């Protein structure tokens, strides 16, 4: 998954945790496939994602994305640094703007390269080496792909605020702590609602899908500086 940048304020999202009830791995695969199919049949989604490393830092993205365009804001908060960036994808070009710390974190620019361009839109074309990483998370498919559990699967159920959810859990065979789950309502369209992933003893990723199919409009900035100019290529 792409490196992400995030806010210090924690979203009030209900975490869907494992509960009783299970079925065969084959059934879990079918349910997961139906969740992906339902999600990819939509035109847009609002996505909020938080990554916590206890006692070290917190990253969060807030995104509104469609099939081929999107917009997101994120902030990195840690005891020693605070970075903020905005990104948008329009016509196969990523535009990014932020403070020096945010630009360094998101693009690997040096402080000397990033500082002069704080607060200015920087354009990254499709043929640039940074494009795959920066565009990941700016389209509906990339978010669905990133938040799809992989590995041995198990299907469980969970009731949250009186509503029944199907939860597909995965624990990859190659990691002790890596585990993920994707939840969707048990009735109606199985559109993903919550995602969580444990990446280590003290590292968690939490995400929420909302506002499926709400119209979004993303417009390229009037002016921007090519990333090649920023890097001094």
């Amino acid at each position: 998954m792409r490196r992400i940048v995030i806010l210090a304020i924690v979203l009030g999202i209900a975490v869907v945790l494992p509960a009783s009830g299970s079925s065969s791995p084959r059934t879990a695969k079918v349910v997961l496939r139906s969740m992906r199919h339902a999600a990819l049949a939509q035109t847009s989604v609002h996505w909020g994602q938080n990554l916590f490393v206890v006692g070290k830092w917190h990253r969060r993205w807030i995104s509104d994305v469609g099939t081929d365009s999107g917009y997101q804001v994120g902030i990195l908060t840690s005891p020693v640094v605070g970075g903020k960036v905005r990104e948008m994808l329009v016509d196969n070009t990523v535009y990014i703007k932020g403070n020096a710390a945010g630009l360094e974190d998101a693009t690997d620019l040096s402080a000397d390269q990033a500082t002069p361009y704080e607060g200015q839109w920087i354009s990254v074309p499709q043929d640039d080496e940074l494009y795959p990483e920066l565009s990941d998370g700016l389209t509906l498919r990339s978010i669905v792909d990133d938040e799809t559990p992989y590995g041995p699967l198990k299907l469980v159920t969970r009731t949250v605020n009186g509503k029944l959810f199907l939860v597909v859990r995965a624990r990859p065979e190659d990691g002790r702590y890596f585990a993920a789950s994707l939840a969707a309502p048990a009735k109606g369209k199985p559109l993903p609602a919550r995602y969580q992933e444990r990446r280590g003893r003290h590292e968690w990723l939490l995400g929420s899908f909302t506002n499926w199919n709400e119209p979004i409009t993303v417009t390229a900035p009037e002016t921007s500086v090519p990333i090649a100019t920023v890097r001094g290529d």
Side-chain angles (χ1 to χ4, degrees), residues 16-36 147-158 164-172 179-186 190-198 209:
V16 180
L17 296 174
S20 60
S22 64
S23 63
S24 69
R26 180 180 181 183
T27 301
K29 290 179 181 179
V30 169
V31 172
L32 181 60
R33 191 180 306 123
S34 70
M35 290 181 185
R36 284 182 51 85
E147 316 317 326
T148 296
Y150 64 94
L153 301 176
K154 181 180 180 180
L155 180 65
V156 299
T157 59
R158 176 69 172 171
L164 185 65
F165 286 83
L166 298 176
V167 185
V168 176
R169 301 178 59 210
R171 183 178 296 278
S181 66
L182 185 66
L191 289 171
R194 300 286 187 268
Y195 176 82
Q196 71 175 37
E197 181 179 322
R198 185 177 182 182
F209 299 84

Side-chain angles (χ1 to χ4, degrees), residues 3 5 74 76 81-87 95-111 113-124 130 134 227 230:
R3 182 178 35 172
V5 186
L76 164 67
V81 68
K84 181 175 182 178
V85 294
R86 297 182 180 183
E87 291 185 25
Y95 299 90
I96 183 169
K97 177 172 70 172
N99 62 13
L103 291 174
E104 289 178 62
D105 186 75
T107 65
D108 288 334
L109 292 171
S110 68
Q113 291 172 320
T115 299
Y117 296 96
E118 284 189 310
Q120 299 184 53
W121 285 108
I122 298 170
S123 58
V124 182
L130 279 176
L134 292 179
I227 186 65
V230 177

